[in-house]
Amino acid sequence: MPQKIAIIGGGYVGAELAKALDDTAEVTLIEPRSHFVHAPAMIRAVVDPSLLDRAVIPYDRLLKNGRIIASKATAIDSKGVTLDDGTRVEADQIVVATGSGNAMPFKPQGTDIAGLKADNQRIHQQLKAAQSIGIVGAGAVGTELAGEIAFAMPDKQVTLISSDDALFPTMPPKLGTSLAAKLRKAGVTLILGQRAENLKNMTEPYAGGLQLADGSQHDFDLIFPVIGSRATSELLETLAGVEKSTANRIKVDPWMRPSSLPNVFAAGDVADAGDGMTIVAIGRQLPWLKAALSGLAQGKTVEDLKPYKPWGSKAPILVPLGPRQGNSFLGVFTAGDFLTSKLKGMDLFLKKYAKLLNRPES
């Protein structure tokens, strides 16, 4: 009998893991949204809404054998998952990959895909009408957004504000200094080491003034609050033995288990396994999960499996500033415009995820 595997969340981990196991296990993917939302392309879609239909991809062709249930999981136990309508999904192994939330329109706030598209169009129109734009938060989303606007709309006055003294301070210094130089050359003003004191909205763009920690006042036609993702961890928080870390993430043991339940695994943004909250992080987690679940199906115990090893400080990061520029840290060296554009900037992995969801682009 094939193992019954329930995967909660159809993001980068959930969708790819479900497809990888589709031929060998009885897979149930539980995902309340009807479409996969490809976050990096959603950043560029703010300046180029023509990308939207490629960035938001239906799930209906993902699995050939398994099933996708458009519902929200409300509880987990050792035997399976309870859905919001009371339905049970029995499972031998459960993987929780509920991801994280960020400001709109980069990630949807709920399940309303039509609403997400409408929000994108509305914010695009606000951006077109704005002359001065403030971006609060200089992580990957904020930095990439500044680069996208500077490339596509060079007449705009863009200001990128960060409470950190440098861009990407946890990475090798060359990454942040190179990105900062390119942004400044493109006309972006960087205000570093200053926290915004009075953000009126944390989840969507708005017009208004900002007061910074040094007391200075800055008025903008449009302010994007992009101060970091927070994990969607409510489902795990009720389990025995669960511990939260930063950004609502849940600590996991060496075998990616977040609680005392031996057959429940967590992955992606919700799991604090020593990886950052990036798409790159799953490049290690997915192969490990596939091998672990296959081993369990063959009768091994979890402790027989090799523990998961996170990327640690060598995790790559790709930061395009529009389709042609950017910098990347590739584990041993910092790459410039050519490699960043080739690896991510030009295509933003759109072809990869179209293929994953069985909608290959011509």
Side-chain angles (χ1 to χ4, degrees), residues 153-233:
M153 302 175 170
D155 57 319
K156 307 292 185 191
Q157 296 165 8
V158 180
T159 303
L160 181 61
I161 300 163
S162 175
S163 57
D164 292 320
D165 291 326
L167 297 182
F168 300 95
T170 63
M171 304 301 292
K174 188 179 176 186
L175 178 71
T177 54
S178 298
L179 287 165
K182 285 173 186 176
L183 286 168
R184 288 188 177 110
K185 192 173 180 186
V188 176
T189 300
L190 268 61
I191 301 178
L192 303 177
Q194 290 294 329
R195 187 178 301 278
E197 300 283 351
N198 63 334
L199 269 177
K200 291 188 176 65
N201 196 316
M202 309 289 265
T203 57
E204 69 173 286
Y206 66 95
L210 282 178
Q211 180 174 321
L212 303 186
D214 63 0
S216 61
Q217 299 278 348
H218 304 262
D219 291 323
F220 296 103
D221 298 332
L222 194 61
I223 296 168
F224 284 91
V226 204
I227 51 173
S229 298
R230 296 190 73 74
T232 308
S233 57

Side-chain angles (χ1 to χ4, degrees), residues 63-78:
L63 302 180
K64 292 193 172 107
N65 305 309
R67 59 181 176 154
I68 300 170
I69 300 177
S71 185
K72 186 175 181 183
T74 55
I76 303 168
D77 56 57
S78 61

Side-chain angles (χ1 to χ4, degrees), residues 96-169:
V96 179
T98 41
S100 61
N102 206 316
M104 60 181 271
F106 313 115
K107 289 193 176 185
Q109 303 298 306
T111 61
D112 182 4
I113 295 298
L116 174 69
K117 291 182 176 183
D119 288 336
N120 172 270
Q121 292 288 350
R122 174 174 58 80
I123 292 165
H124 174 68
Q125 292 303 325
Q126 290 174 336
L127 177 60
K128 272 174 66 176
Q131 188 55 41
S132 58
I133 294 117
I135 301 169
V136 181
V141 176
T143 302
E144 288 183 36
L145 179 63
E148 295 289 353
I149 297 171
F151 173 81
M153 302 175 170
D155 57 319
K156 307 292 185 191
Q157 296 165 8
V158 180
T159 303
L160 181 61
I161 300 163
S162 175
S163 57
D164 292 320
D165 291 326
L167 297 182
F168 300 95

